[in-house]
Amino acid sequence: MSETPLLSVHGLSVTLPTGRKQSVDAVRRVDLTVMAGERVGIVGESGSGKSVSVRAMSGLLPESPLVRVGGSIRFRDTELVGASRSVWDDIRSKRIAMIFQDPSSFLNPTMKVGRQVREALLKGRSTDRSWAETHRFMTLAGLSDPATVADRYPFELSGGMRQRILIAIALAKAPEIIIADEPTTALDATVQRRVLKSLDESVSQLDTALLLITHDLAVVAGLCDRVYVMYRGEIVESGNTDQIFYEPQHAYTKELLRCVTSLSDSTPDLYVGDYASRR
Amino acid sequence: MNVHWLRYYGRLIGSSVLLIFVVILVMFLLLEIAPGDPIQSLVGQVPVTEEFRRQMTATYGLDRPLFERFVSYVANVATGNLGYSFANREPVTELILQRLGNTLVLTLPSLVISSIGGILLGTAAARTRSKVKDGAISFAAVAGFSIPSFWLALLLIMLFAVSLGWLPAQGMASYGSKGLSVPHLILPLIALAIPELAFKARIMRSTMIGVLGEDYIDTARSKGLSSFEILRRHGLLNSMLPMVSVIGYSLGFTLAGAVTVEKVFGWPGMGMLLYTSIQTGENMVVMGILLVVAITVVIVNILTDLVYGLVDPRIRARSRMSRGVNV
Amino acid sequence: MKRTKWMLAAAAVALSAIVVSGCSASSEPSAGGDHVFVVAIPSNPPQFNLGVTNDGSATFVGRSIFDPLVNLNTDYEVVPALAESWSANADSTEFTLNLRHGVKWHDGTDFTSADVKFYFDEVIPIHPLGAPIAAVYDHTSTPDDFTVIVSLKSPFAPFIQALAGHMMLPAHLYAGTDIATNPANLQPVGTGPYKFTSFTSGDSVIVDRNEDYWGEKGDVDEVVYRVMPDSNARALAFQSGEVDLATMLPLNQVETLKSDNRFAFDSAAMAEHLYGFFNTASATLQNADVRKALYHAIDRDEIASKVFLGTGTPSVSPVPNQVTWAIDPATDYTTEFDFDLDEAGRMLDAAGYPAGADGTRFSMNVTYRTDNASWATTADLIKTSFGKIGVNVNLVGQDTQVFADTVYTQHDFDFALQSLGAYADPSLGVARAFICNPTNGSYRNPTGVCDPVIDGAFAATAAVSDPAARLAAFKTAADAVAADLGTAPLISYNQITAYRADKWNGIDQFNSTDVWTWGALRAK
């Protein structure tokens, strides 16, 4: 691991408005680091503040004076809290990629998916801006016939294929880190597995860092080096994946683990990919 | 192009023809019970002599039963004959055709200007983060939409024709010259387009605000697209769906608005003809114009359907499937 | 990119729409001549045959193309036109007209007695205003090309007056055709000072000076009649200098325009009369004393000053004030029915309508037409005034067509306001507002009053030619009307003509006759 982290977050807090006068502290004093090429998971139940945290890191919180972000988010040497539009444009187009939860709503319904991938390519770090390159990223995301798929509209594709398009969009920028916010939650179990496999493989191939947000510890187990556990807007526990799995400290983490094991008969139904077996 | 395609459009045209028939029936009955005596109108505000009334009644078959007149009217309409104008001593079809062009040179540019202007202004209001700018545009839109068009028209004449003397106040060309002059077009066009533009800007603003709140806009933002690129590539087309309907409907409103505007500007179009004909109880002409407007609206609705498909691939696919074509 | 193309296409459509509409533009000056005179007309003339249409705008245009046999001046005197002189037999049953020599139709054909005979035989029976003559007409004989002898079945004293406004039509184009649908109705051929040049429906009519005109020729080479339906916009167009002459302007606009010394105003020759019709079938108003009390309660001086802005005066008799020869000095409704609310109250008390506990006696409708703001204001003043004596008024404003239906056909009104033209002779235009109307004809007396005394008196005004005898008959009619008071004469006025005094001389003389005297117009 290199000395300076790729992404370091210190004392991050986000206040969101809940009405004209009221507001809620959605995220409090979050500290988090991701090293270059590292895979980090954030787990927590819905509403724990994990999505808000990563939206703050990718600059996708609503632009409103009522949304207040405190603390520090540094990407390499660039401070992102309060950064200018041009800094954010560079970060978003070339450094940080996002994969969102619901592939049905995060794709423009009236634009062919190939063009949506290509937009990311054109803005990103890649110097090859050909359609072939666009198709290559689609293949990398697990789409077998990219030329045909590229000519389709989102509604003509299955949920899994749409999620792969979102992954391809993220990959096409050739970013330094991909933040995946519940990337497979909306998919059914078998599709989920295959999509995760694609994500796993493509991240490996590009040597990109991954920040994976999920409520599902099972997903994290096979993919991530380190895990942060978030509860009610705060990080309650962090450590190596194995450590969290086998020696959970916090009561909430234990509770989460119990949920995972109770879903299957005996052993946790974990995603085990190439990465996990390599580790 | 196959049987399914033909069946789809055959059904569409069939239902349109039925709709037009119902429109004729309803208008015929409404005008029948509306007060107004065409023979009296012919004479003006003086007593009608019995001889005159007898002659006109016989000449134009006004003594025939309602049903008979309706049947012969429908039969005539089917052949493009919209009846005969008492006062003008001219076939209604010819009378309308003389005026239709003049109305179109006013309404079509107005439709285009108000649509493009409304889309641009509404988009500007939706994307601006300046409360003042958004407020100003919204206020102007409400004001522009609420302003009575005759009042706006008079205001424009007072300002640009009387006070400044820049533009002519009446008519569509200088005396003695045929056709149309651009200076004559400007004020009526503004008077006709402003309320429409304001309305479309309001619709566009709220639609665009909705679209900009969609998830796929976040995807676009995460790609590092500038806000203008987001607007142009992802916002605009997705906001166009409601706008296509609004623009389609607005043609009807524009044609209606032309009545007032044409009257105030002495513009020799169909609207002025309608106004005059209502004043003089020329029911055949009123029927004819309303029918032309109704047919226009029906045609525009069909066009709207087609444009919907152009804008939204989902609808395109659906109608492809309903036509039995494999995707 | 595809989106860019789309935007470009939209912009191109917008531009081409504008450019295409501009392409057909041609703003060369009119080809006519140096002096163009622009008249604003309030509606699109349906056609120009004044034998079958009485349309106001068609009349404006037709009267520069056609000539009448006789004309009428502001003093209500008959002056020669196509007929140079005339005479009548002693009992007013035979009239001899001596026609002007050397008059030609615009197509070069001679104007002769045959044209006049054709007019009496074929046009008068279907002419909108032909009824008074048609009722007494027997036959016409033409001893030579320039003499016409008209024989009547019964005496009709105002025969010559009744001819004013009847514009002669060319027999050689109309004889043996359907007069109502003859193509010449849209391509009129007359003998008048201007020849028809072109008509653009809804826009304008252009006529050019008839260089062979029999009468005096004016400076105006070309007259352009422009259709300007909106009265306010018409006033503004006049103010902006686009128009040389405009009529039927809103009176409040006239007040504004008066301060500009480019403009001058003149009264039209024809008298107009605003009437109030009482519905005698209404439960309350069937009592003549109630009607008289209400007549007392109308402040006509206030209406004259506030609504007519001094261009009208309270009427003193059934005949409008301008027609002085037909009003006996002893008749004066402004003293007989002076504005006196106390008197009105006493009369209503006596008639059995005392004020109730809340001060109200009864409620009634006042129905008026919405085509002219003056009538709404008048109705409003009446409502206020009636309110002061405990009579509640509901104002009912109606469109022209609806008003005609409600008032004349359905008789669904209490008190209705209607202005009617007086025409050349009061027995033609005035009598209709007072005499019995059993067929419920429109624009005739809708009150339900059928008084043989009134009918007889008005018939007598038409049957005798001796001025003293006619005056006596009008006096009898005025007294009978005052006794019954179905129709209450309210205001006598003239339409106001606005014109450009800075550009033209001689407008007063031009406007001094019912049919304009174009020869009097001189450019400054």
Side-chain angles (χ1 to χ4, degrees):
Chain A
M1 282 186 194
S2 63
E3 292 305 304
T4 48
L6 187 64
L7 185 69
S8 66
V9 175
H10 288 291
L12 177 70
S13 62
V14 180
T15 309
L16 296 176
T18 52
R20 193 168 270 277
K21 285 275 150 64
Q22 294 98 0
S23 61
V24 62
D25 294 333
V27 175
R28 282 174 304 214
R29 298 179 302 279
V30 165
D31 294 335
L32 178 154
T33 55
V34 182
M35 307 306 279
E38 193 188 14
R39 298 177 170 199
V40 176
I42 302 179
V43 280
E45 60 190 6
S46 51
S48 62
K50 49 192 202 309
S51 279
V52 174
S53 309
V54 296
R55 278 181 167 264
M57 293 171 212
S58 54
L60 291 177
L61 287 171
E63 296 182 48
S64 158
L66 295 174
V67 176
R68 289 192 300 276
V69 181
S72 160
I73 303 169
R74 294 184 79 82
F75 184 86
R76 295 197 189 279
D77 297 326
T78 313
E79 175 60 53
L80 297 182
V81 173
S84 71
R85 193 168 261 275
S86 60
V87 169
W88 267 122
D89 279 349
D90 178 68
I91 291 289
R92 284 193 294 230
S93 58
K94 297 185 170 69
R95 315 291 164 194
I96 301 178
M98 280 286 293
I99 298 171
F100 299 96
Q101 175 176 359
D102 184 359
S104 58
S105 67
F106 279 92
L107 285 172
N108 181 343
T110 60
M111 191 189 270
K112 288 179 179 170
V113 294
R115 291 188 52 220
Q116 302 196 42
V117 177
R118 193 169 160 73
E119 273 187 340
L121 178 79
L122 295 176
K123 283 278 168 184
R125 286 198 297 168
S126 177
T127 47
D128 183 352
R129 306 193 155 189
S130 64
W131 271 103
E133 182 74 353
T134 309
H135 293 164
R136 189 178 73 83
F137 281 113
M138 290 171 71
T139 312
L140 204 56
L143 293 157
S144 51
D145 185 5
T148 311
V149 173
D151 207 32
R152 294 279 164 84
Y153 288 97
F155 74 97
E156 295 171 312
L157 303 176
S158 67
M161 286 171 95
R162 275 181 269 185
Q163 190 62 59
R164 288 172 199 276
I165 294 293
L166 277 177
I167 293 171
I169 288 173
L171 298 176
K173 295 194 258 183
E176 294 177 64
I177 180 169
I178 291 175
I179 301 176
D181 185 3
E182 305 267 15
T184 56
T185 311
L187 306 173
D188 63 52
T190 46
V191 180
Q192 193 172 15
R193 239 166 245 265
R194 277 186 269 133
V195 169
L196 281 175
K197 188 167 187 299
S198 301
L199 182 63
D200 184 356
E201 285 165 0
S202 51
V203 167
S204 296
Q205 204 167 332
L206 294 174
D207 199 22
T208 304
L210 177 70
L211 181 58
L212 181 73
I213 288 83
T214 181
H215 65 279
D216 190 353
L217 267 174
V219 171
V220 168
L223 269 175
C224 298
D225 306 309
R226 287 192 297 118
V227 177
Y228 291 90
V229 179
M230 249 186 119
Y231 180 62
R232 293 189 174 175
E234 293 178 56
I235 303 278
V236 292
E237 187 169 1
S238 65
N240 291 332
T241 309
D242 294 345
Q243 188 186 330
I244 295 291
F245 264 77
Y246 299 111
E247 301 160 33
Q249 302 298 308
H250 197 273
Y252 174 66
T253 313
K254 291 174 186 162
E255 186 67 23
L256 274 179
L257 274 170
R258 199 160 31 248
C259 288
V260 176
T261 42
S262 68
L263 279 173
S264 60
D265 296 324
S266 52
T267 49
D269 183 17
L270 304 179
Y271 166 75
V272 184
D274 298 341
Y275 186 76
S277 46
R278 271 204 317 272
R279 195 173 57 206
Chain B
M1 301 266 171
N2 56 19
V3 179
H4 299 282
W5 188 90
L6 286 178
R7 195 182 296 157
Y8 176 77
Y9 280 97
R11 210 165 37 223
L12 198 60
I13 289 166
S15 63
S16 301
V17 168
L18 186 69
L19 183 67
I20 296 289
F21 178 81
V22 172
V23 166
I24 294 177
L25 181 66
V26 170
M27 287 196 302
F28 204 89
L29 293 176
L30 278 178
L31 287 175
E32 190 66 27
I33 56 170
D37 173 357
I39 295 173
Q40 181 69 56
S41 309
L42 208 52
V43 168
Q45 291 165 30
V46 289
V48 180
T49 63
E50 282 313 307
E51 170 66 19
F52 189 76
R53 183 174 290 283
R54 199 188 52 72
Q55 201 200 343
M56 291 299 132
T57 305
T59 307
Y60 299 111
L62 292 175
D63 45 357
R64 289 184 298 153
L66 175 67
F67 180 72
E68 203 181 312
R69 278 184 290 134
F70 177 73
V71 168
S72 78
Y73 183 78
V74 171
N76 283 335
V77 167
T79 64
N81 174 3
L82 297 177
Y84 195 77
S85 157
F86 285 93
N88 295 272
R89 315 279 167 175
E90 260 190 285
V92 172
T93 315
E94 270 177 42
L95 212 55
I96 291 176
L97 286 179
Q98 284 169 17
R99 304 294 194 87
L100 187 62
N102 294 345
T103 293
L104 290 180
V105 297
L106 202 55
T107 47
L108 289 185
S110 161
L111 194 71
V112 172
I113 290 171
S114 64
S115 302
I116 293 179
I119 288 170
L120 294 181
L121 206 64
T123 305
R127 72 171 282 212
T128 184
R129 270 166 301 163
S130 148
K131 274 223 148 46
V132 178
K133 220 199 280 176
D134 179 29
I137 294 174
S138 297
F139 176 79
V142 172
F145 183 59
S146 327
I147 212 169
S149 56
F150 77 91
W151 192 75
L152 175 65
L154 286 175
L155 213 66
L156 289 170
I157 296 178
M158 247 190 284
L159 184 62
F160 292 103
V162 179
S163 299
L164 298 171
W166 291 350
L167 293 166
Q170 293 276 290
M172 61 185 283
S174 302
Y175 313 134
S177 59
K178 293 269 176 187
L180 165 84
S181 83
V182 172
H184 282 81
L185 180 65
I186 295 173
L187 292 184
L189 195 52
I190 295 175
L192 194 57
I194 280 189
E196 278 305 311
L197 193 153
F199 179 66
K200 286 168 187 164
R202 284 178 63 192
I203 303 282
M204 189 65 193
R205 177 183 173 273
S206 58
T207 309
M208 186 58 101
I209 285 176
V211 166
L212 290 182
E214 292 284 345
D215 288 341
Y216 55 81
I217 297 297
D218 278 348
T219 308
R221 283 171 73 193
S222 81
K223 289 177 191 171
L225 296 178
S226 72
S227 61
F228 180 72
E229 286 170 316
I230 290 172
L231 218 50
R232 194 168 57 87
R233 296 193 200 155
H234 298 276
L236 215 48
L237 195 65
N238 286 302
S239 311
M240 284 316 289
L241 273 186
M243 279 312 286
V244 167
S245 319
V246 169
I247 290 169
Y249 283 125
S250 84
L251 184 72
F253 287 116
T254 309
L255 285 174
V259 177
T260 315
V261 170
E262 287 180 6
K263 180 197 164 209
V264 175
F265 286 99
W267 191 271
M270 212 167 61
M272 202 216 273
L273 183 65
L274 179 64
Y275 171 78
T276 318
S277 304
I278 290 171
Q279 288 290 305
T280 56
E282 276 251 67
N283 286 359
M284 281 293 110
V285 184
V286 174
M287 275 291 289
I289 295 176
L290 294 181
L291 200 56
V292 167
V293 172
I295 291 172
T296 311
V297 169
V298 166
I299 291 173
V300 165
N301 278 347
I302 295 175
L303 289 178
T304 307
D305 256 22
L306 294 175
V307 174
Y308 249 78
L310 287 182
V311 171
D312 193 332
R314 288 163 292 191
I315 293 169
R316 195 155 62 225
R318 202 178 306 144
S319 62
R320 253 203 310 265
M321 281 185 287
S322 74
R323 282 180 239 141
V325 179
N326 275 328
V327 183
Chain C
M1 304 229 17
K2 204 171 162 196
R3 289 296 172 283
T4 320
K5 271 189 226 146
W6 191 87
M7 293 284 286
L8 279 174
V13 169
L15 268 177
S16 58
I18 295 163
V19 171
V20 164
S21 50
C23 272
S24 53
S26 59
S27 37
E28 319 99 57
S30 142
D34 296 326
H35 296 304
V36 176
F37 190 80
V38 180
V39 179
I41 50 177
S43 61
N44 185 48
Q47 40 110 341
F48 308 101
N49 180 356
L50 302 186
V52 291
T53 184
N54 191 41
D55 177 85
S57 293
T59 305
F60 274 120
V61 179
R63 286 182 168 193
S64 65
I65 297 170
F66 298 105
D67 282 318
L69 289 169
V70 295
N71 205 346
L72 189 78
N73 70 15
T74 34
D75 297 326
Y76 271 77
E77 290 165 348
V78 177
V79 292
L82 287 176
E84 280 184 314
S85 63
W86 51 86
S87 57
N89 66 356
D91 63 352
S92 299
T93 54
E94 190 179 281
F95 292 82
T96 305
L97 301 160
N98 302 303
L99 305 182
R100 199 172 290 276
H101 290 241
V103 176
K104 286 189 186 303
W105 294 101
H106 294 158
D107 62 3
T109 314
D110 287 327
F111 165 74
T112 66
S113 55
D115 293 307
V116 181
K117 178 174 165 54
F118 164 76
Y119 193 87
F120 281 113
D121 287 345
E122 306 291 334
V123 182
I124 285 284
I126 60 160
H127 193 290
L129 300 178
I133 296 176
V136 294
Y137 178 72
D138 190 51
H139 71 278
T140 298
S141 55
T142 52
D144 63 57
D145 274 359
F146 304 104
T147 308
V148 177
I149 300 167
V150 182
S151 302
L152 306 181
K153 286 182 282 198
S154 56
F156 186 53
F159 177 75
I160 297 295
Q161 282 86 345
L163 290 179
H166 278 283
M167 314 303 281
M168 290 300 109
L169 291 169
H172 66 280
L173 294 179
Y174 280 99
T177 70
D178 180 4
I179 297 170
T181 59
N182 192 303
N185 293 349
L186 285 165
Q187 299 270 326
V189 174
T191 58
Y194 289 87
K195 291 180 175 179
F196 174 81
T197 300
S198 69
F199 171 42
T200 310
S201 181
D203 184 66
S204 57
V205 190
I206 296 174
V207 297
D208 284 292
R209 191 169 54 204
N210 174 11
E211 300 301 341
D212 301 322
Y213 187 53
W214 55 267
E216 195 184 354
K217 290 190 277 288
D219 282 355
V220 174
D221 297 292
E222 184 169 85
V223 185
V224 178
Y225 294 91
R226 286 218 95 168
V227 181
M228 301 187 178
D230 188 89
S231 61
N232 285 303
R234 198 154 65 230
L236 290 173
F238 176 72
Q239 201 182 349
S240 78
E242 285 178 33
V243 172
D244 295 288
L245 185 143
T247 61
M248 295 186 226
L249 300 180
L251 287 168
N252 56 344
Q253 296 264 28
V254 170
E255 278 302 287
T256 321
L257 294 172
K258 272 182 178 165
S259 58
D260 191 327
N261 58 15
R262 287 180 299 160
F263 309 135
F265 301 87
D266 196 39
S267 298
M270 177 81 81
E272 304 278 341
H273 213 175
L274 175 63
Y275 299 105
F277 292 129
F278 288 108
N279 186 359
T280 57
S282 142
T284 320
L285 299 173
Q286 64 181 346
N287 183 339
D289 289 334
V290 173
R291 303 197 292 266
K292 288 179 193 171
L294 293 175
Y295 196 22
H296 270 294
I298 300 172
D299 189 348
R300 294 191 284 145
D301 283 317
E302 187 188 25
I303 295 171
S305 66
K306 284 191 181 163
V307 179
F308 290 87
L309 303 167
T311 65
T313 50
S315 298
V316 298
S317 84
V319 177
N321 297 352
Q322 297 93 319
V323 194
T324 46
W325 63 262
I327 302 171
D328 190 292
T331 305
D332 187 354
Y333 288 1
T334 58
T335 51
E336 193 176 348
F337 298 101
D338 60 330
F339 175 58
D340 187 341
L341 291 177
D342 297 335
E343 173 67 8
R346 278 192 295 277
M347 288 171 78
L348 288 177
D349 287 341
Y353 291 98
D358 59 349
T360 304
R361 298 174 194 272
F362 56 87
S363 295
M364 62 185 280
N365 289 341
V366 170
T367 308
Y368 62 95
R369 281 174 26 164
T370 50
D371 60 331
N372 183 328
S374 299
W375 312 144
T377 321
T378 305
D380 215 37
L381 291 174
I382 290 173
K383 176 189 167 92
T384 308
S385 185
F386 282 9
K388 288 178 187 160
I389 54 167
V391 175
N392 281 343
V393 168
N394 305 315
L395 294 179
V396 182
Q398 291 178 330
D399 180 64
T400 310
Q401 298 283 326
V402 182
F403 179 93
D405 191 60
T406 317
V407 173
Y408 297 107
T409 311
Q410 311 292 337
H411 288 273
D412 180 19
F413 71 102
D414 291 319
F415 188 66
L417 298 173
Q418 169 81 61
S419 176
L420 293 172
Y423 297 120
D425 188 279
S427 57
L428 303 173
V430 173
R432 59 175 163 151
F434 299 91
I435 59 176
C436 190
N437 177 14
T439 58
N440 290 339
S442 292
Y443 306 105
R444 303 179 204 203
N445 171 20
T447 62
V449 166
C450 259
D451 183 344
V453 182
I454 294 176
D455 293 3
F458 274 112
T461 67
V464 294
S465 56
D466 172 43
R470 296 192 77 193
L471 185 60
F474 278 118
K475 171 82 164 69
T476 310
D479 291 344
V481 167
D484 251 354
L485 207 77
T487 303
L490 299 179
I491 305 286
S492 304
Y493 67 101
N494 294 74
Q495 290 286 0
I496 298 295
T497 307
Y499 62 95
R500 291 290 296 275
D502 58 333
K503 285 174 72 183
W504 304 98
N505 275 330
I507 295 258
D508 47 344
Q509 214 197 323
F510 162 83
N511 202 24
S512 68
T513 46
D514 188 27
V515 176
W516 284 332
T517 310
W518 286 95
L521 260 190
R522 296 291 164 211
K524 269 192 175 170

